[in-house]
Amino acid sequence: MSQPSVSAELTSEAPSPVQVGKSWRASLAEAVRGSHQDFSTGPVDRALLLLSVPMVLEMVMESVFALVDVFFVSRLGSEAVATVGLTESMLTLAYTVPLGLSIGATALVSRRMGEKNPEKAASAAVQTLGLGFLLALPMSVLGVLFARPLLAALGASPSVVEQGASYTQVMLGSFVIVMPLFLISAILRGAGDAATSMRALLLANSVNIVLAPICIFGLGPVPAMGVPGAAIATTLGRCTGVVYQLHRLLRGGGRLALERRHLRLEPATMLCLLRLSGGAILQSVLGLSSWLVLMRIVASFGSAAMAGYTLVMRIILFAQQPSWGMSHAVGTLVGQSLGARDAERAERVTWRASFFTALFLGGVSLVFLTLSEPLILLFTDEADVVFHASRGLRILSWGLFLYAFVTIIPHAFNGAGDTTTPTAVNLLCAWGLQIPLAYALTGPAGLGPEGAFLAIAITYGVLGIASALLFRQGKWKTQCL
């Protein structure tokens, strides 16, 4: 009997478009439901999909908290909105601490899970939560005590301070809730259980959306609390999310389970966490501080330029949400791959994620270049604001695809436990390049506020290329945790 030809074999084995579509739908459903796959083995693309989808949804839902507050509080007047905005700026700075600890937690837990050592992963999770509580408690106390002077220092009028101090006290005082919400999410992501983290934030948001109008405007026996009611609703929502997270961790049966025997102090693990998190916190602080300086530069050109800058950055940040979700997935996969002693897989994960993210952001760039003005007109019809914002959006769009390397590769470094390299690159690019370049282009070069956007675009490119070159050197592969 004659053997079948190679072409016949390929034809018979090649999946049809219908089969491919069903496979993608099944993978998406599994990603949302939660996967039991071992992420240190198997196809890289599938692992990225299963982890990144719930992480993207998680990030979107975290941003919903602030949107819900502003939506309902805006009914109370401009002073109420100012209170929310000023408090949000304080929280943005304070969040650098849990964000930094989260990076350290993900790196440690993912490495231990890759080593097939859930016991040590659970111990690392307990040390993370203990360290987080020790840091969150004084931050909460100080936030309650100094809410009024902090509002005044940020330029709030006496009436805003009087009306909004209670809101700020509740929001800053609830840091003992925010910290575990961030850290447990990071622990679950490191263990490869991103779906549980996503469901916790979905639950927290649902509670907040229901309670916010009730607490702000009153309903039945619940009195109208005004602006502080928004803070109370947000805090109760986050409490619900934390309770759900702890329930999932303590009940067992998942990828990671915490038990009584894990409740012990491990100074070496805590020191490792502090080392990892210190660099990660500094990365966040550098990014935030350079953003604030750019805001100050643009503000010197008037309110229209400032409004245009704010709109563009909000649009860009929203468009980048999927890339941030993908980057968190990369951090987990790199850590687990190195734990499994498969550095080649860790490298392949990073480049594949960078490729997919560059494709996505390239498509976004084409949309922004083509429809910049109509997009801005959805938010405002003020001619000066539309002029500055549409030009700025087009400038940033030319180099947006390079932002793939700015998000993905630093998270790969962090996932490997090398937080020093991305911190150094961020320091040099943010303060050694972006800020001086923005001053030069907006002032001596005569480009005005558009010079700030050009400085950001150039910095994106330099930061992305520098990160890629350093990653190719491969020193991160030898990082011990």
Side-chain angles (χ1 to χ4, degrees), residues 96-156:
T96 58
V97 177
L99 284 173
L101 280 176
S102 296
I103 290 174
T106 299
L108 268 183
V109 172
S110 63
R111 181 71 69 94
R112 300 298 172 252
M113 293 299 287
E115 293 168 350
K116 305 297 185 293
N117 195 336
E119 279 293 304
K120 285 192 175 181
S123 296
V126 170
Q127 304 309 304
T128 300
L129 293 174
L131 182 59
F133 178 76
L134 291 176
L135 293 173
L137 186 59
M139 291 177 72
S140 291
V141 172
L142 291 172
V144 172
L145 294 177
F146 294 99
R148 288 177 178 271
L150 283 171
L151 280 172
L154 288 174

Side-chain angles (χ1 to χ4, degrees), residues 286 290 424-438 459 462:
L286 287 171
S290 63
V425 174
N426 270 284
L427 176 61
L428 290 173
C429 288
W431 287 93
L433 175 63
Q434 183 170 264
I435 300 303
L437 189 59
T459 304
V462 173

Side-chain angles (χ1 to χ4, degrees), residues 312-329:
V312 170
M313 296 313 294
R314 290 290 173 89
I315 292 171
I316 290 290
L317 288 173
F318 180 79
Q320 290 169 351
Q321 291 271 357
S323 65
W324 283 105
M326 181 70 81
S327 68
H328 284 300

Side-chain angles (χ1 to χ4, degrees), residues 17 93 152 167 181 217 313 342 410:
L93 181 60
Y167 173 87
L181 185 69
F217 306 112
M313 296 313 294
D342 191 350

Side-chain angles (χ1 to χ4, degrees), residues 14-36:
S16 69
V18 173
Q19 290 174 320
V20 172
K22 288 182 178 179
S23 175
W24 272 94
R25 288 196 296 272
S27 296
L28 286 171
E30 183 180 348
V32 175
R33 185 175 62 248
S35 175
H36 297 285

Side-chain angles (χ1 to χ4, degrees), residues 301 391 440-452 454:
F301 292 94
R391 292 189 66 179
L441 293 175
T442 56
L447 297 181
E450 281 69 43
L454 184 57

